[in-house]
Amino acid sequence: MAVRPAQRRIGDGLQQGRTLPGAMEHLESRLGAAEVSLSTDVLDRIDEIVPPGTTFNPADVDYDAPGLTDLALRRRSPGS
């Protein structure tokens, strides 16, 4: 899997025990989102608006997200 520079910097900081002020509070306030499940109708509408694989950031042009390239990963249930 390709690692983008921003991901590498974050990983390096975490390995060295460095975090940004408020980072844990920010993370904890968003952990509940992992339990959110969108209906098929909503996911279909999102795909209509922004087709899967659309690249907005030119730096991501060569990044192939596993969730897009491996059809078994698309629309799987959380935790699977």
Side-chain angles (χ1 to χ4, degrees), residues 16-75:
Q16 296 171 15
R18 289 181 285 149
T19 59
L20 296 173
M24 284 306 295
E25 293 82 8
H26 181 84
L27 172 65
E28 289 169 352
S29 72
R30 283 146 177 82
L31 287 176
E35 303 300 320
V36 172
S37 181
L38 300 176
S39 70
T40 301
D41 292 339
V42 170
L43 293 171
D44 288 342
R45 183 68 180 126
I46 291 169
D47 286 348
E48 287 174 21
I49 296 168
V50 183
T54 300
T55 300
F56 291 100
N57 182 349
D60 291 335
V61 168
D62 293 327
Y63 176 72
D64 294 321
L68 295 175
T69 56
D70 183 349
L71 295 180
L73 297 176
R74 288 204 25 94
R75 298 198 181 181

